[in-house]
């Protein structure tokens, strides 16, 4: 079952309307409906509020899919400057892995720059 289906199913099981869930998240019903359909991003604090409201652990809603998949949004924002900005929800573990890799590469670059400087000094 996809994340959105789990969310919808749990909300209905608890007898909570989309209107009530929207109010809990501080948004309007149409925006919540788009979140539930997977059309717009659900932020971490919103996931936590929904899990608390539904009285389930966050993992019961997001499950393994949240750990190992990307959720790309269909919404594109036009800023009238000729460019389009598309936002995607990238899992935190992936971002952390990328940060660590970047740090490793930066250290390697620093060592290589020191070696280049030393080699130039020998000339």
């Amino acid at each position: 079952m996809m994340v959105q289906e789990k969310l919808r199913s749990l909300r209905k099981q608890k007898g909570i309307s989309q209107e009530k869930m929207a109010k809990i998240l501080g948004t309007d019903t149409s925006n919540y409906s788009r979140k539930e359909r997977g059309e717009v991003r659900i932020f971490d604090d919103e996931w936590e509020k929904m899990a608390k409201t539904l009285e389930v652990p966050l993992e019961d809603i997001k499950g393994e899919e949240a750990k190992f998949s990307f959720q790309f949004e269909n919404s594109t924002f036009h800023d009238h400057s000729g460019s389009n900005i598309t936002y995607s929800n990238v899992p935190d573990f992936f971002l952390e892995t990328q940060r660590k890799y970047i740090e490793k590469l930066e250290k390697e670059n620093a060592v290589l720059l020191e070696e280049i400087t030393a080699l130039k000094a020998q000339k």
Side-chain angles (χ1 to χ4, degrees), residues 5 10 43 94-95 98 112 119:
E5 293 169 354
L10 285 167
F43 294 93
F94 182 78
L95 293 175
Q98 294 303 304
L112 290 171
L119 289 171

Side-chain angles (χ1 to χ4, degrees), residues 41-62:
R41 180 177 182 194
I42 300 174
F43 294 93
D44 289 341
D45 64 316
E46 293 173 324
W47 280 115
E48 291 170 15
K49 288 177 186 177
M50 288 188 291
K52 184 177 179 181
T53 300
L54 297 170
E55 301 173 327
V56 296
L58 184 55
E59 295 76 32
D60 284 3
I61 303 171
K62 294 177 84 174

Side-chain angles (χ1 to χ4, degrees), residues 6-23:
K6 288 180 189 177
L7 177 58
R8 184 178 310 115
S9 175
L10 285 167
R11 179 183 56 75
K12 288 181 177 183
Q13 285 175 15
K14 295 288 183 176
I16 299 171
S17 68
Q18 285 189 336
E19 292 83 7
K20 182 175 180 180
M21 193 65 83
K23 188 174 277 191

